[in-house]
Amino acid sequence: MELRRFGKGKKRTWYNERPFQKRDYVVLVAGIMILIASLIITFYDGSRFYNPF
């Protein structure tokens, strides 16, 4: 860490905090919905996600 200039008491200047935006929440909700749908399909079909036979 010392080689990268992270000394004691010094502040990192390259780090920028970015708050969540609307599209971040949309992607998060879409991912959760896909997870819930896959769990419902899995347990509704008898613990088989895809079985063509």
Side-chain angles (χ1 to χ4, degrees):
M1 295 298 284
E2 291 174 358
L3 293 175
R4 295 185 180 187
R5 309 283 288 167
F6 291 112
K8 184 176 182 179
K10 292 184 181 178
K11 189 174 182 180
R12 298 182 199 176
T13 58
W14 51 267
Y15 177 75
N16 295 324
E17 184 177 352
R18 296 177 58 182
F20 264 33
Q21 296 179 352
K22 183 179 178 181
R23 62 181 155 192
D24 297 322
Y25 288 111
V26 169
V27 169
L28 189 62
V29 169
I32 291 171
M33 290 175 63
I34 291 171
L35 174 67
I36 291 171
S38 66
L39 289 173
I40 289 171
I41 291 170
T42 299
F43 291 112
Y44 178 75
D45 194 28
S47 296
R48 293 179 300 184
F49 188 77
Y50 177 72
N51 188 359
F53 301 108

